Amino acid sequence: MIMKKLLALTVISSLFFHFELCAQKTQNHAKNVTITRDQWGIPHIEGKTDADAVFGLMYAQCEDDFARVETNYIEKLGRLSEINGEADIYNDLQIRILISESEAKIEYFKAQPWSKNRLDAYAAGINYYLSKNPEVKPKLIKKFEPWYPLLWTDGSIGAISVADLQMSELKAFYGNEKNVGAIKLNEDYQQTGSNGFAIAPNLSKSKNAMLYINPHTTFYFRPEVHVKSNEGLNAYGAVTWGQFFVYQGFNEYCGWMHTSSNADVADTYLEKIVKQSDGYFYEYEGKLRKVTSKKVEIKYLKDGKNLVRIFEVYFTHHGPIMAKRGENWVSLKSYNRAQKSLEQSWLRTKAKGFEDYKKAMDLKANTSNNTVFADKYGNIAYWHGNYMPIRDNSLNWAKPQDGTKASTEYKGLHSVNQVVHIYNPKNGWIQNCNSTPFTASAENSPKRTNYPDYMAPDGENFRGVNATRLLEKVEKINLEELITLGYDNYLPAFEVLIPSLRKIKTQDVVLKEAIQLLLSWDYRTSSHSIETTLAIEWAQKLSSSIRKIYVDQGENDQVTTTKRFAEVATENELLEPLEKTIHELTEKHGTWKVKWGDINRFQRLNGKVTTEFDDNSPSTPVGNASALWGSLPSFNSRYYPNSKKRYGYSGNSFVCAVEFGDKVKAKSVLAGGNSGDKNSKHFNDQGEMYSKGVFKDILFYKEDILKNAVRTYQPGF
């Protein structure tokens, strides 16, 4: 009995010591961090150590928008249905199948000391914020754990690779719900993307390399931050809410821009299943292997009650079973969560130039991104993906593979130099707009025949066409002119589509006038353009095939498909959508002659994660249009229930242009503002600038930050 009491006292004493140690670490972090807010509310975080800086960065993010920080982790934990109800059960199930909490925990405990240090500081920063702000009520997560960031792959909340599998197939397999078959094209997905441009010294008026950073994301998805330490960290850019590294941005040596990659990094396998008395088996190389399984418990909210659904999830050595096609089960082989990905994301923020950045790339852990790069030494570079499995190139990897054969297995990873890349092209520029890498530097681009087909199935799109057209004309350019180039409002898709209207023979006066108006249009958007309204409303009613940007191996790209459509479309296929467009505009606005800026609006009413819009509340006209049609500055807008106007929801978010010289010179603009609090002056202080493409000067050096400091403080003080 005495021994048991002594043991209990020892455990209690150890726990007390652990909590005391954690509390002391937290206080030390807080004392070692200074946050300076400039006139735009941008936090400039400076810590004594990297871990201190991470602590301060997380505290500052929570100050600006704790709701988005928490929501991102609720999603990655597969717990959205606990707050949203049944509608998110299968989203949660997919996450829980593909991302293992237990593996993340194990990797945290096995992490290198430097990595663990930052993970601990991440959790401490958020939890310290909650302790100092008891009025903030989390929806679900009362305490953040240091292994949470290991649930993400590349720092982008949406970077989940599922090959060509659809959510309806997952529902059909695990929920016995009817397989709906053909899936409607996801318009939001097809209209997202990003642009990245790198300019070499030979095209730069200052003889310094430049980088244009233009991610197209959901608005308010990434805030603008500056984080610095005495251990060599000094990064500025956009950070995904809840992550502790700059995802797209620059330091004093170099800059990195990520565009979403269509490089093939996940594959499906057809598994031949045999059911026996002791469970399921699958055939592999003429023998039967046991199908493994585990229980996944999904909690969900319904009618105010907390309920639970339990799924039995199956696995082969290829990966989890996600669907059934014919008599075969379909497994997914993917790389959706890995510690190396997080470490690579951190290490690149401290790169001191091209060679250093390549060392981070050598980890081969980035699955979702292409990278456009520039540095102060004049180097520019491009990598099309990073994590790239070696496969049998005689197979079409866009299709499910035969899971019974060993010949379909991966054969290791390609080296970074084997992945499609461009280093210092002679023409002096690189562009990627989620388009093929084989036109990224015009005649200096990589040759398709030198690479396996699965490595870059991406096709050309109209943004790529537009960017190449503009960059080929550049003789010398400065930072302001690079921004102007990035805001070019030409829509090359309509250069293909509009001439097809000549096929229409009609005596209707209104139709004739509308067609003539479009045929005389210069294909440029503006807030006062009637043609832009008419063209976009019409084009969105044409064949869905012309709106497909992301294509698989062997498929025609968007440009080819659109040209083919324009050639073969019948008069009726062109006329009916135009008649419907004129009718809808007239019904909503009393006339079909509606200026684009009158209905294409930017509005930020509140800080809710799910944005709301109101025709009767103030909004700002925007002349830009969706990237889908080739616009470099992307502004995706749509109608909402009970609205007669189109409101922007994604596109240009954090946009930044950087020049690397003896000193960095940079400018940026952010959708709305850096704060999610509608009562903050930084909630929408960049809204007007954003709508017009007006950039602010970035404050990167201490003397400039201090001159423009509005508030300087330590976390919690």
Side-chain angles (χ1 to χ4, degrees), residues 48 171 218 414 466 528 597:
K48 184 176 179 181
K171 289 182 180 180
T218 305
H414 285 282
N466 201 12
H528 59 267

Side-chain angles (χ1 to χ4, degrees), residues 495-557:
E495 188 180 298
V496 175
L497 289 170
I498 295 297
S500 68
L501 289 170
R502 293 192 176 95
K503 296 178 184 179
I504 297 176
K505 309 298 180 186
T506 179
Q507 297 305 311
D508 184 284
V509 175
V510 172
L511 283 171
K512 286 177 72 173
E513 184 181 2
I515 291 168
Q516 189 53 49
L517 191 66
L518 288 171
L519 288 172
S520 60
W521 182 36
D522 63 1
Y523 311 128
R524 290 195 172 276
T525 67
S526 71
S527 58
H528 59 267
S529 169
I530 295 170
E531 297 93 330
T532 303
T533 304
L534 199 57
I536 289 175
E537 294 281 336
W538 167 68
Q540 288 185 321
K541 296 177 178 62
L542 298 175
S543 169
S544 62
S545 64
I546 69 174
R547 300 194 296 276
K548 187 175 182 182
I549 291 176
Y550 297 96
V551 297
D552 289 328
Q553 182 179 330
E555 292 184 340
N556 286 332
D557 62 31

Side-chain angles (χ1 to χ4, degrees), residues 416-517:
V416 173
N417 282 335
Q418 289 174 333
V419 171
V420 183
H421 65 275
I422 305 169
Y423 298 158
N424 295 318
K426 291 180 181 179
N427 61 322
W429 58 263
I430 296 170
Q431 65 82 17
N432 184 258
C433 302
N434 313 109
S435 46
T436 174
F438 304 121
T439 59
S441 291
E443 69 276 5
N444 298 114
S445 303
K447 305 304 179 204
R448 187 184 296 273
T449 53
N450 292 340
Y451 298 93
D453 294 333
Y454 57 75
M455 202 172 272
D458 319 57
E460 189 62 275
N461 62 42
F462 286 108
R463 270 182 295 135
V465 169
N466 201 12
T468 297
R469 175 183 63 87
L470 291 165
L471 288 164
E472 283 183 322
K473 296 177 182 177
V474 170
E475 293 181 1
K476 293 285 183 180
I477 194 171
N478 61 27
L479 196 65
E480 288 72 21
E481 290 164 339
L482 179 59
I483 292 171
T484 299
L485 185 150
Y487 267 73
D488 186 84
N489 60 6
Y490 189 73
L491 304 182
F494 291 108
E495 188 180 298
V496 175
L497 289 170
I498 295 297
S500 68
L501 289 170
R502 293 192 176 95
K503 296 178 184 179
I504 297 176
K505 309 298 180 186
T506 179
Q507 297 305 311
D508 184 284
V509 175
V510 172
L511 283 171
K512 286 177 72 173
E513 184 181 2
I515 291 168
Q516 189 53 49
L517 191 66

Side-chain angles (χ1 to χ4, degrees), residues 166-203:
Q166 302 289 344
M167 189 64 75
S168 62
E169 295 181 292
L170 189 74
K171 289 182 180 180
F173 189 85
Y174 286 113
N176 296 317
E177 297 190 15
K178 185 178 179 182
N179 192 339
V180 297
I183 304 299
K184 184 179 178 183
L185 183 70
N186 186 331
E187 293 286 342
D188 291 351
Y189 174 67
Q190 293 295 332
Q191 295 192 38
T192 59
S194 299
N195 303 333
F197 309 146
I199 305 295
N202 62 309
L203 288 187

